[in-house]
Amino acid sequence: MVFLRTSEKAGSCFIRTDQLDGETDWKLKVAVSCTQRLPALGDLFSIRAYVYAQKPQLDIHSFEGTFTREDSDPPIHESLSIENTLWASTIVASGTVIGVVIYTGKETRSVMNTSNPKNKASEPANFWTLRKAGVNESASTLKGNQIALLSFIGFLQRDKTIPHSSNNCLTHGIGLLDLELNQLTKALFLALVVLSVVMVTLQGFAGPWYRNLFRFLLLFSYIIPISLRVNLDMGKAAYGWMIMKDENIPGTVVRTSTIPEELGRLVYLLTDKTGGAPLLPRSASTQREEQHAGTLTQNEMTFRQLHLGTVSYGADTMDEIQTHVLSSYAQVHPQTGGNNPSSTPPRRAQSSTPKVRKSVSSRVHEAVKAIALCHNVTPVYESRAGVTGETESAEADQDFSDENRTYQASSPDEVALVRWTESVGLTLVSRDLTSMQLKTPGGQVLTYCILQVFPFTSESKRMGIIVRDESTAEITFYMKGADVAMSSIVQYNDWLEEECGNMAREGLRTLVVAKKALTEEQYQDFESRYSQAQLSIHDRVLKVAAVVESLERELELLCLTGVEDQLQADVRPTLEMLRNAGIKIWMLTGDKLETATCIAKSSHLVSRTQDIHIFRPVTSRGEAHLELNAFRRKHDCALVISGDSLEVCLKYYEHELVELACQCPAVVCCRCSPTQKAHMVTLLRQHTGRRTCAVGDGGNDVSMIQAADCGIGIEGKEGKQASLAADFSITQFRHVGRLLMVHGRNSYKRSAALGQFVMHRGLIISTMQAVFSSVFYFASVPLYQGFLMVGYATIYTMFPVFSLVLDQDVKPEMAILYPELYKDLTKGRSLSFKTFLIWVLISIYQGGILMFGALVLFEAEFVHVVAISFTALVLTELLMVALTIRTWHWLMVVAEFLSLGCYVASLAFLNEYFGIGRVSFGAFLDVAFITTVPFLWKVSAITVVSCLPLYVLKYLKRKLSPPSYSKLSS
């Protein structure tokens, strides 16, 4: 809405946007002056006026409009810019405001920048229920064709609901592991049909062959691993529980339990930069608690360095500055009080002509005073009770006590500078639109009248202010800005460029401070030209800039300041770990280019030795083409590109840009709108087909988080939008390392092992059924009765197989120490057609051995073939689980013995199930036979033959070509 009026005397107010964009600094908004000047609030209804506003658009950093009042003579026209607007989802931090709403609902910038979330679920669940209904029942009792048909429809139903190609999965958001397992399940379904057809063909299509075909389909239906989905979903739930219970990453919440394996397959990590902690003076203990601030940075600025050309002050020499400031004011103040004439000489020396070299003390004093005056910071006083008092009462009391003063400005850099001047003795105590007051170390208040303010813009990269000292009536023009903009404005010097480079390499943000003394005549002349330029209707911006530029000549260079944006704890080691793990890191931020580049360097996102290619601003197709060609010629350098240039390049050269950017070790996109962030994620996924992860902490990162395969939200001080929209919510950026290296890796490897083992479990029993049917002249008779089949998939083998979710190949400490282990996962070798075929061969070998072994060894007691083969089968499964496990856990041992115990116990109860076919030939299982020595040794022999070769092969493989993790664990 357009800001018309406020209760604040200054005619401006602050808004807090932390819920909107995650930034904690307050933004200064200015009321339309023509409505602010009205005597009473009610007069708003008695005037005739209208607002002209541009049509709704995505860009959140600009607004153009005009305010026209018709009933005055002549009509008043005022131009409106972004600083005359108030935004939805923000909080007014001071006073009350009244405005006229221009955009609502879908037209607001925040809604236009949001996107619909996609469903990040595993495969659609509907077909499982269908198939379950069909198959379990039918396997236990052959109820004829209708059930066979039902389960068959179930399989077909399944193929329809699942996207076929991995590209299609972009719209579904299904986990990659689920898609791979789904491809294997389709292969198994095909095998089932082929096997059944082969059986019917070998029968010679005798009799009602189609009925036999369906009977075989049901007999071999165990090839399709129905319990796979159940096991995997329980596994995913278990991984989620482990992540939330991990004491090394406290406060982590898993919000999407269906995709923990995705954490183990990431290739691109897109992160936001911003974040913030409230900019208040704080004790060390609260600072520690509030460390979880932004994504990479804390938005917590600290003043690090002051350079005067010949002398430089760092963190450890700040007390010297304090002494200099103290001494210069001690000399000056008695003079201003007029009661000590003896102090006139130093006073005169200070304001002497520039030819005489100034003392260090006076130069320090000048620099500190300039920093204390040249800014847009407002001190805000809170009432002692802790509740924010009305500003009026605070102003009335002039309660300038230090405890309840906080500084507010649109940039945290400025607050850091003003807070630093306070620490060396020169304190900003009050400010309104026309004046500001400084308090000296001696406690005296100096008043300065603000004549003009030239705010910072991203084009000019500098800000200026003209002030008049009330006590001496001297007029001074102070200016500070980026070194690029200031180097041409200040007087010639030989140190500025070099020192700026040095500070930038340390990751500090630099500001150059300069001043120019003006005479009354010079100022009056400037003011008349300036106000004239401001009233012009055409090319107003250019004319105003030209007038200001006439002042910006030959300024006296005072100092260079270095401010550091503190990174969150352990950001550098975490980024380094992710880089070593083969993950490419992209930083998408709404910040200015210089800031983004600074943070990229200080966080080691870009290593010290790497070159940075800054993509020049482009507006047309031709420019984009030239710039892309220039970038193509560079090798191994990080790319820094702004949102506007990105938009142009994506419009004409989308494929080329993404291809080039993907080859970069690091990419920084600055001035990105929320929509652009999401668009970049989608592009990466479509062009590379690799898995992406987005990390963010503010409401402006929600679109990006939802667009990525895996979204991680950081719960900051700015609200919880990002963490609520994400799949995983963490409290600090450094937790990402453990989340991926340990939990992501384990989840993927465990699920791969679990999935293949469940398939093996179904294949082995189907192989036995096939051998059995072949021996019995291709009769479609079930080998095992229903209850044994159900028991086999559940009570006899479920616990050991499921205990694979506790398996780990290396200890968590190792996984973090050697992030290179993570690289192997992205190739997807733990679950591929190769590993799948190995498991199929194992299943066929074991199934064949078990069945033939039972038939060969027990010719005499053939009626006992079911008991023998089934016992050997259960033992084989338990031994195979033991063979697959890499690190034993006590629960695994419990599961193995528990299952064995259940089986032995059930032998006593289920004797009628151990016969063959419907009629068990009167051969009920006799306990006497089970306890005989021949039974025991023959079962043992079959089991050994089926498992021993695999143990030998595994041992040889580990000796001859050990996997990378085993080299570490040994």
Short mmCIF file of all heavy atoms in Angstrom, two decimals, residues 799-853:
data_model
loop_
_atom_site.label_atom_id
_atom_site.label_comp_id
_atom_site.label_asym_id
_atom_site.label_seq_id
_atom_site.Cartn_x
_atom_site.Cartn_y
_atom_site.Cartn_z
N PHE A 799 12.00 -60.08 10.80
CA PHE A 799 12.87 -59.33 11.73
C PHE A 799 14.32 -59.26 11.25
O PHE A 799 14.90 -58.18 11.20
CB PHE A 799 12.78 -59.90 13.15
CG PHE A 799 11.40 -59.81 13.73
CD1 PHE A 799 10.68 -60.95 14.05
CD2 PHE A 799 10.80 -58.56 13.93
CE1 PHE A 799 9.40 -60.85 14.57
CE2 PHE A 799 9.52 -58.46 14.45
CZ PHE A 799 8.82 -59.62 14.77
N PRO A 800 14.91 -60.40 10.87
CA PRO A 800 16.32 -60.30 10.42
C PRO A 800 16.45 -59.42 9.17
O PRO A 800 17.37 -58.61 9.09
CB PRO A 800 16.68 -61.74 10.10
CG PRO A 800 15.71 -62.57 10.83
CD PRO A 800 14.45 -61.80 10.92
N VAL A 801 15.53 -59.59 8.21
CA VAL A 801 15.63 -58.80 6.98
C VAL A 801 15.47 -57.31 7.30
O VAL A 801 16.23 -56.46 6.84
CB VAL A 801 14.58 -59.25 5.94
CG1 VAL A 801 14.56 -58.30 4.76
CG2 VAL A 801 14.89 -60.66 5.48
N PHE A 802 14.49 -57.00 8.14
CA PHE A 802 14.26 -55.59 8.46
C PHE A 802 15.42 -55.02 9.28
O PHE A 802 15.69 -53.82 9.24
CB PHE A 802 12.94 -55.40 9.19
CG PHE A 802 12.60 -53.96 9.41
CD1 PHE A 802 12.30 -53.14 8.33
CD2 PHE A 802 12.63 -53.39 10.67
CE1 PHE A 802 12.02 -51.79 8.50
CE2 PHE A 802 12.35 -52.04 10.85
CZ PHE A 802 12.04 -51.25 9.77
N SER A 803 16.14 -55.91 10.00
CA SER A 803 17.24 -55.39 10.83
C SER A 803 18.37 -54.85 9.95
O SER A 803 19.32 -54.25 10.45
CB SER A 803 17.77 -56.47 11.77
OG SER A 803 18.48 -57.45 11.04
N LEU A 804 18.29 -55.04 8.62
CA LEU A 804 19.28 -54.45 7.72
C LEU A 804 19.26 -52.92 7.79
O LEU A 804 20.21 -52.27 7.39
CB LEU A 804 19.03 -54.89 6.27
CG LEU A 804 19.39 -56.33 5.92
CD1 LEU A 804 18.92 -56.67 4.52
CD2 LEU A 804 20.89 -56.56 6.03
N VAL A 805 18.16 -52.34 8.30
CA VAL A 805 18.11 -50.86 8.40
C VAL A 805 19.04 -50.35 9.50
O VAL A 805 19.22 -49.15 9.64
CB VAL A 805 16.68 -50.31 8.64
CG1 VAL A 805 15.74 -50.75 7.55
CG2 VAL A 805 16.16 -50.73 10.00
N LEU A 806 19.63 -51.26 10.27
CA LEU A 806 20.58 -50.83 11.32
C LEU A 806 22.02 -50.99 10.84
O LEU A 806 22.96 -50.64 11.53
CB LEU A 806 20.37 -51.66 12.59
CG LEU A 806 19.00 -51.53 13.25
CD1 LEU A 806 18.82 -52.60 14.30
CD2 LEU A 806 18.85 -50.15 13.88
N ASP A 807 22.18 -51.55 9.63
CA ASP A 807 23.51 -51.85 9.13
C ASP A 807 24.24 -50.57 8.73
O ASP A 807 23.63 -49.60 8.27
CB ASP A 807 23.37 -52.77 7.90
CG ASP A 807 24.70 -53.36 7.49
OD1 ASP A 807 25.60 -53.36 8.34
OD2 ASP A 807 24.82 -53.80 6.34
N GLN A 808 25.56 -50.55 8.89
CA GLN A 808 26.34 -49.42 8.37
C GLN A 808 27.71 -49.93 7.95
O GLN A 808 28.28 -50.79 8.59
CB GLN A 808 26.47 -48.29 9.40
CG GLN A 808 27.07 -48.71 10.73
CD GLN A 808 27.16 -47.55 11.70
OE1 GLN A 808 26.37 -46.63 11.66
NE2 GLN A 808 28.14 -47.59 12.58
N ASP A 809 28.23 -49.40 6.82
CA ASP A 809 29.51 -49.92 6.35
C ASP A 809 30.69 -49.25 7.04
O ASP A 809 31.72 -49.87 7.26
CB ASP A 809 29.63 -49.80 4.83
CG ASP A 809 29.24 -48.42 4.33
OD1 ASP A 809 28.98 -47.55 5.18
OD2 ASP A 809 29.19 -48.21 3.12
N VAL A 810 30.57 -47.95 7.36
CA VAL A 810 31.65 -47.29 8.12
C VAL A 810 31.03 -46.51 9.27
O VAL A 810 29.86 -46.15 9.23
CB VAL A 810 32.46 -46.30 7.24
CG1 VAL A 810 33.30 -47.03 6.23
CG2 VAL A 810 31.57 -45.30 6.56
N LYS A 811 31.83 -46.22 10.26
CA LYS A 811 31.33 -45.45 11.41
C LYS A 811 31.03 -44.02 10.97
O LYS A 811 31.69 -43.50 10.06
CB LYS A 811 32.39 -45.44 12.52
CG LYS A 811 32.55 -46.77 13.20
CD LYS A 811 33.26 -46.57 14.55
CE LYS A 811 33.20 -47.81 15.40
NZ LYS A 811 34.00 -48.92 14.87
N PRO A 812 30.07 -43.33 11.63
CA PRO A 812 29.74 -41.95 11.25
C PRO A 812 30.97 -41.04 11.22
O PRO A 812 31.10 -40.21 10.32
CB PRO A 812 28.76 -41.51 12.35
CG PRO A 812 28.16 -42.77 12.86
CD PRO A 812 29.19 -43.84 12.69
N GLU A 813 31.88 -41.22 12.19
CA GLU A 813 33.07 -40.36 12.24
C GLU A 813 33.89 -40.51 10.96
O GLU A 813 34.42 -39.55 10.42
CB GLU A 813 33.95 -40.71 13.45
CG GLU A 813 33.31 -40.48 14.80
CD GLU A 813 32.22 -41.49 15.14
OE1 GLU A 813 32.37 -42.68 14.79
OE2 GLU A 813 31.19 -41.09 15.73
N MET A 814 33.99 -41.76 10.48
CA MET A 814 34.74 -42.03 9.25
C MET A 814 34.08 -41.37 8.05
O MET A 814 34.74 -40.78 7.19
CB MET A 814 34.80 -43.55 9.00
CG MET A 814 35.87 -44.23 9.78
SD MET A 814 37.49 -43.77 9.18
CE MET A 814 38.52 -44.79 10.20
N ALA A 815 32.75 -41.48 8.00
CA ALA A 815 32.01 -40.93 6.86
C ALA A 815 32.21 -39.42 6.78
O ALA A 815 32.29 -38.84 5.70
CB ALA A 815 30.53 -41.27 6.99
N ILE A 816 32.33 -38.77 7.96
CA ILE A 816 32.52 -37.32 7.97
C ILE A 816 33.98 -36.97 7.66
O ILE A 816 34.27 -36.00 6.98
CB ILE A 816 32.09 -36.74 9.34
CG1 ILE A 816 30.56 -36.78 9.42
CG2 ILE A 816 32.58 -35.32 9.53
CD1 ILE A 816 29.99 -36.37 10.74
N LEU A 817 34.89 -37.83 8.14
CA LEU A 817 36.32 -37.58 7.93
C LEU A 817 36.71 -37.77 6.46
O LEU A 817 37.55 -37.07 5.93
CB LEU A 817 37.13 -38.53 8.81
CG LEU A 817 38.60 -38.21 9.00
CD1 LEU A 817 38.77 -36.84 9.64
CD2 LEU A 817 39.25 -39.27 9.88
N TYR A 818 36.05 -38.72 5.80
CA TYR A 818 36.35 -38.99 4.38
C TYR A 818 35.11 -38.75 3.53
O TYR A 818 34.45 -39.69 3.11
CB TYR A 818 36.82 -40.44 4.20
CG TYR A 818 38.09 -40.75 4.93
CD1 TYR A 818 38.07 -41.46 6.13
CD2 TYR A 818 39.33 -40.35 4.44
CE1 TYR A 818 39.24 -41.74 6.82
CE2 TYR A 818 40.50 -40.63 5.12
CZ TYR A 818 40.45 -41.32 6.31
OH TYR A 818 41.61 -41.60 6.98
N PRO A 819 34.78 -37.48 3.28
CA PRO A 819 33.56 -37.20 2.52
C PRO A 819 33.62 -37.76 1.09
O PRO A 819 32.60 -37.90 0.43
CB PRO A 819 33.48 -35.67 2.50
CG PRO A 819 34.82 -35.18 2.88
CD PRO A 819 35.46 -36.25 3.70
N GLU A 820 34.86 -38.14 0.63
CA GLU A 820 34.98 -38.69 -0.72
C GLU A 820 34.14 -39.97 -0.89
O GLU A 820 33.75 -40.32 -1.99
CB GLU A 820 36.44 -39.02 -1.04
CG GLU A 820 37.34 -37.82 -1.21
CD GLU A 820 37.73 -37.15 0.12
OE1 GLU A 820 37.44 -37.71 1.21
OE2 GLU A 820 38.30 -36.06 0.08
N LEU A 821 33.86 -40.65 0.25
CA LEU A 821 33.03 -41.86 0.19
C LEU A 821 31.66 -41.55 -0.41
O LEU A 821 31.02 -42.39 -1.02
CB LEU A 821 32.82 -42.43 1.60
CG LEU A 821 34.01 -43.12 2.26
CD1 LEU A 821 33.70 -43.42 3.71
CD2 LEU A 821 34.35 -44.41 1.53
N TYR A 822 31.22 -40.30 -0.21
CA TYR A 822 29.87 -39.90 -0.67
C TYR A 822 29.81 -39.88 -2.19
O TYR A 822 28.77 -40.13 -2.78
CB TYR A 822 29.56 -38.52 -0.09
CG TYR A 822 28.14 -38.04 -0.32
CD1 TYR A 822 27.15 -38.36 0.60
CD2 TYR A 822 27.79 -37.27 -1.42
CE1 TYR A 822 25.84 -37.92 0.42
CE2 TYR A 822 26.50 -36.82 -1.61
CZ TYR A 822 25.53 -37.14 -0.69
OH TYR A 822 24.24 -36.70 -0.88
N LYS A 823 30.97 -39.59 -2.83
CA LYS A 823 31.00 -39.49 -4.30
C LYS A 823 30.49 -40.76 -4.97
O LYS A 823 29.80 -40.70 -5.98
CB LYS A 823 32.44 -39.24 -4.76
CG LYS A 823 32.77 -37.80 -5.00
CD LYS A 823 34.15 -37.66 -5.62
CE LYS A 823 34.67 -36.25 -5.42
NZ LYS A 823 36.10 -36.15 -5.59
N ASP A 824 30.87 -41.92 -4.39
CA ASP A 824 30.48 -43.19 -5.01
C ASP A 824 28.97 -43.33 -5.11
O ASP A 824 28.45 -43.95 -6.03
CB ASP A 824 31.02 -44.38 -4.19
CG ASP A 824 32.54 -44.38 -4.17
OD1 ASP A 824 33.12 -43.63 -4.97
OD2 ASP A 824 33.13 -45.11 -3.35
N LEU A 825 28.26 -42.77 -4.13
CA LEU A 825 26.81 -42.97 -4.08
C LEU A 825 26.11 -42.36 -5.28
O LEU A 825 25.11 -42.88 -5.75
CB LEU A 825 26.22 -42.35 -2.80
CG LEU A 825 26.81 -42.80 -1.47
CD1 LEU A 825 26.01 -42.21 -0.35
CD2 LEU A 825 26.78 -44.31 -1.35
N THR A 826 26.64 -41.20 -5.77
CA THR A 826 25.92 -40.50 -6.84
C THR A 826 25.92 -41.33 -8.12
O THR A 826 25.10 -41.12 -9.00
CB THR A 826 26.55 -39.13 -7.11
OG1 THR A 826 27.95 -39.30 -7.28
CG2 THR A 826 26.30 -38.18 -5.96
N LYS A 827 26.86 -42.30 -8.20
CA LYS A 827 26.87 -43.16 -9.40
C LYS A 827 25.78 -44.23 -9.30
O LYS A 827 25.51 -44.93 -10.28
CB LYS A 827 28.24 -43.82 -9.54
CG LYS A 827 29.37 -42.80 -9.75
CD LYS A 827 30.73 -43.44 -9.62
CE LYS A 827 31.83 -42.39 -9.63
NZ LYS A 827 33.07 -42.86 -9.01
N GLY A 828 25.19 -44.37 -8.12
CA GLY A 828 24.08 -45.31 -7.97
C GLY A 828 24.48 -46.76 -8.09
O GLY A 828 23.74 -47.58 -8.62
N ARG A 829 25.67 -47.11 -7.59
CA ARG A 829 26.14 -48.50 -7.77
C ARG A 829 25.59 -49.46 -6.74
O ARG A 829 25.72 -50.66 -6.89
CB ARG A 829 27.66 -48.53 -7.74
CG ARG A 829 28.26 -47.93 -9.00
CD ARG A 829 29.75 -48.00 -8.99
NE ARG A 829 30.30 -47.37 -10.19
CZ ARG A 829 31.54 -46.94 -10.27
NH1 ARG A 829 32.34 -47.06 -9.24
NH2 ARG A 829 31.99 -46.39 -11.38
N SER A 830 25.02 -48.93 -5.64
CA SER A 830 24.51 -49.84 -4.61
C SER A 830 23.25 -50.56 -5.09
O SER A 830 22.92 -51.63 -4.62
CB SER A 830 24.16 -49.06 -3.34
OG SER A 830 25.30 -48.42 -2.86
N LEU A 831 22.54 -49.95 -6.03
CA LEU A 831 21.32 -50.56 -6.55
C LEU A 831 21.29 -50.30 -8.05
O LEU A 831 21.00 -49.19 -8.49
CB LEU A 831 20.09 -49.93 -5.89
CG LEU A 831 18.75 -50.43 -6.40
CD1 LEU A 831 18.53 -51.86 -5.98
CD2 LEU A 831 17.62 -49.57 -5.89
N SER A 832 21.61 -51.33 -8.85
CA SER A 832 21.61 -51.15 -10.30
C SER A 832 21.20 -52.48 -10.91
O SER A 832 21.05 -53.49 -10.20
CB SER A 832 23.00 -50.75 -10.78
OG SER A 832 23.92 -51.77 -10.43
N PHE A 833 21.05 -52.52 -12.23
CA PHE A 833 20.69 -53.79 -12.86
C PHE A 833 21.78 -54.84 -12.64
O PHE A 833 21.52 -56.03 -12.55
CB PHE A 833 20.41 -53.59 -14.35
CG PHE A 833 18.96 -53.29 -14.62
CD1 PHE A 833 18.53 -52.00 -14.88
CD2 PHE A 833 18.01 -54.30 -14.58
CE1 PHE A 833 17.18 -51.73 -15.09
CE2 PHE A 833 16.67 -54.04 -14.78
CZ PHE A 833 16.25 -52.76 -15.05
N LYS A 834 23.02 -54.37 -12.51
CA LYS A 834 24.13 -55.31 -12.29
C LYS A 834 23.97 -56.01 -10.94
O LYS A 834 23.99 -57.24 -10.85
CB LYS A 834 25.45 -54.55 -12.36
CG LYS A 834 26.67 -55.43 -12.15
CD LYS A 834 27.94 -54.58 -12.12
CE LYS A 834 29.09 -55.33 -11.49
NZ LYS A 834 30.24 -54.46 -11.20
N THR A 835 23.80 -55.21 -9.86
CA THR A 835 23.66 -55.83 -8.53
C THR A 835 22.39 -56.68 -8.48
O THR A 835 22.35 -57.74 -7.86
CB THR A 835 23.58 -54.76 -7.43
OG1 THR A 835 22.47 -53.90 -7.71
CG2 THR A 835 24.84 -53.93 -7.37
N PHE A 836 21.34 -56.22 -9.19
CA PHE A 836 20.07 -56.94 -9.19
C PHE A 836 20.26 -58.32 -9.84
O PHE A 836 19.80 -59.33 -9.31
CB PHE A 836 19.04 -56.11 -9.97
CG PHE A 836 17.75 -56.84 -10.26
CD1 PHE A 836 16.93 -57.24 -9.23
CD2 PHE A 836 17.37 -57.10 -11.57
CE1 PHE A 836 15.75 -57.90 -9.50
CE2 PHE A 836 16.19 -57.75 -11.84
CZ PHE A 836 15.38 -58.16 -10.81
N LEU A 837 20.99 -58.37 -10.96
CA LEU A 837 21.19 -59.66 -11.64
C LEU A 837 22.03 -60.60 -10.78
O LEU A 837 21.79 -61.82 -10.77
CB LEU A 837 21.88 -59.42 -12.99
CG LEU A 837 20.97 -58.81 -14.06
CD1 LEU A 837 21.75 -58.43 -15.30
CD2 LEU A 837 19.84 -59.77 -14.43
N ILE A 838 22.99 -60.03 -10.03
CA ILE A 838 23.78 -60.88 -9.12
C ILE A 838 22.85 -61.55 -8.10
O ILE A 838 22.94 -62.76 -7.86
CB ILE A 838 24.87 -60.04 -8.41
CG1 ILE A 838 25.93 -59.61 -9.43
CG2 ILE A 838 25.51 -60.83 -7.27
CD1 ILE A 838 26.94 -58.61 -8.90
N TRP A 839 21.91 -60.75 -7.54
CA TRP A 839 20.98 -61.30 -6.55
C TRP A 839 20.05 -62.34 -7.20
O TRP A 839 19.72 -63.35 -6.59
CB TRP A 839 20.14 -60.19 -5.92
CG TRP A 839 20.83 -59.54 -4.76
CD1 TRP A 839 21.43 -58.32 -4.74
CD2 TRP A 839 21.01 -60.09 -3.45
NE1 TRP A 839 21.98 -58.07 -3.51
CE2 TRP A 839 21.73 -59.12 -2.69
CE3 TRP A 839 20.65 -61.28 -2.84
CZ2 TRP A 839 22.09 -59.33 -1.36
CZ3 TRP A 839 21.00 -61.49 -1.51
CH2 TRP A 839 21.72 -60.53 -0.78
N VAL A 840 19.66 -62.11 -8.45
CA VAL A 840 18.78 -63.07 -9.15
C VAL A 840 19.52 -64.40 -9.31
O VAL A 840 18.97 -65.47 -9.03
CB VAL A 840 18.36 -62.52 -10.53
CG1 VAL A 840 17.66 -63.60 -11.34
CG2 VAL A 840 17.44 -61.33 -10.36
N LEU A 841 20.81 -64.32 -9.70
CA LEU A 841 21.59 -65.55 -9.88
C LEU A 841 21.75 -66.28 -8.54
O LEU A 841 21.62 -67.50 -8.48
CB LEU A 841 22.97 -65.21 -10.47
CG LEU A 841 22.94 -64.70 -11.90
CD1 LEU A 841 24.32 -64.22 -12.33
CD2 LEU A 841 22.43 -65.78 -12.85
N ILE A 842 22.01 -65.50 -7.47
CA ILE A 842 22.13 -66.12 -6.14
C ILE A 842 20.84 -66.85 -5.80
O ILE A 842 20.85 -68.00 -5.33
CB ILE A 842 22.44 -65.04 -5.07
CG1 ILE A 842 23.85 -64.49 -5.26
CG2 ILE A 842 22.27 -65.61 -3.66
CD1 ILE A 842 24.19 -63.33 -4.34
N SER A 843 19.70 -66.18 -6.06
CA SER A 843 18.40 -66.77 -5.72
C SER A 843 18.17 -68.07 -6.49
O SER A 843 17.72 -69.07 -5.92
CB SER A 843 17.26 -65.81 -6.05
OG SER A 843 17.53 -64.56 -5.49
N ILE A 844 18.48 -68.05 -7.80
CA ILE A 844 18.25 -69.24 -8.62
C ILE A 844 19.16 -70.38 -8.15
O ILE A 844 18.73 -71.51 -7.97
CB ILE A 844 18.48 -68.92 -10.11
CG1 ILE A 844 17.40 -67.95 -10.59
CG2 ILE A 844 18.47 -70.19 -10.95
CD1 ILE A 844 17.59 -67.40 -11.98
N TYR A 845 20.42 -70.04 -7.87
CA TYR A 845 21.36 -71.07 -7.40
C TYR A 845 20.86 -71.67 -6.08
O TYR A 845 20.76 -72.89 -5.93
CB TYR A 845 22.74 -70.44 -7.21
CG TYR A 845 23.69 -71.28 -6.38
CD1 TYR A 845 24.29 -72.42 -6.92
CD2 TYR A 845 23.96 -70.95 -5.05
CE1 TYR A 845 25.14 -73.22 -6.16
CE2 TYR A 845 24.81 -71.74 -4.29
CZ TYR A 845 25.39 -72.87 -4.84
OH TYR A 845 26.23 -73.64 -4.06
N GLN A 846 20.51 -70.81 -5.13
CA GLN A 846 20.12 -71.31 -3.81
C GLN A 846 18.81 -72.08 -3.87
O GLN A 846 18.68 -73.14 -3.28
CB GLN A 846 19.99 -70.14 -2.82
CG GLN A 846 21.35 -69.57 -2.45
CD GLN A 846 21.26 -68.57 -1.32
OE1 GLN A 846 20.26 -67.87 -1.19
NE2 GLN A 846 22.30 -68.48 -0.52
N GLY A 847 17.84 -71.53 -4.61
CA GLY A 847 16.54 -72.23 -4.72
C GLY A 847 16.72 -73.60 -5.33
O GLY A 847 16.14 -74.60 -4.86
N GLY A 848 17.54 -73.66 -6.40
CA GLY A 848 17.77 -74.95 -7.05
C GLY A 848 18.44 -75.94 -6.12
O GLY A 848 18.02 -77.10 -5.99
N ILE A 849 19.49 -75.48 -5.42
CA ILE A 849 20.22 -76.37 -4.50
C ILE A 849 19.29 -76.89 -3.41
O ILE A 849 19.27 -78.09 -3.09
CB ILE A 849 21.41 -75.61 -3.86
CG1 ILE A 849 22.52 -75.34 -4.88
CG2 ILE A 849 21.97 -76.37 -2.66
CD1 ILE A 849 23.30 -76.57 -5.31
N LEU A 850 18.52 -76.00 -2.82
CA LEU A 850 17.65 -76.40 -1.71
C LEU A 850 16.65 -77.47 -2.17
O LEU A 850 16.45 -78.49 -1.50
CB LEU A 850 16.89 -75.20 -1.16
CG LEU A 850 17.72 -74.14 -0.42
CD1 LEU A 850 16.88 -72.92 -0.11
CD2 LEU A 850 18.27 -74.71 0.89
N MET A 851 16.02 -77.25 -3.32
CA MET A 851 14.98 -78.18 -3.77
C MET A 851 15.58 -79.50 -4.23
O MET A 851 15.15 -80.58 -3.81
CB MET A 851 14.19 -77.51 -4.90
CG MET A 851 12.80 -78.08 -5.07
SD MET A 851 11.84 -77.89 -3.57
CE MET A 851 11.30 -79.56 -3.29
N PHE A 852 16.64 -79.41 -5.09
CA PHE A 852 17.24 -80.65 -5.57
C PHE A 852 17.87 -81.41 -4.41
O PHE A 852 17.78 -82.63 -4.35
CB PHE A 852 18.30 -80.34 -6.64
CG PHE A 852 17.71 -80.15 -8.01
CD1 PHE A 852 17.85 -78.95 -8.69
CD2 PHE A 852 16.97 -81.18 -8.62
CE1 PHE A 852 17.29 -78.78 -9.95
CE2 PHE A 852 16.42 -81.01 -9.87
CZ PHE A 852 16.57 -79.80 -10.55
N GLY A 853 18.51 -80.66 -3.51
CA GLY A 853 19.12 -81.31 -2.35
C GLY A 853 18.09 -82.09 -1.56
O GLY A 853 18.31 -83.26 -1.20
#
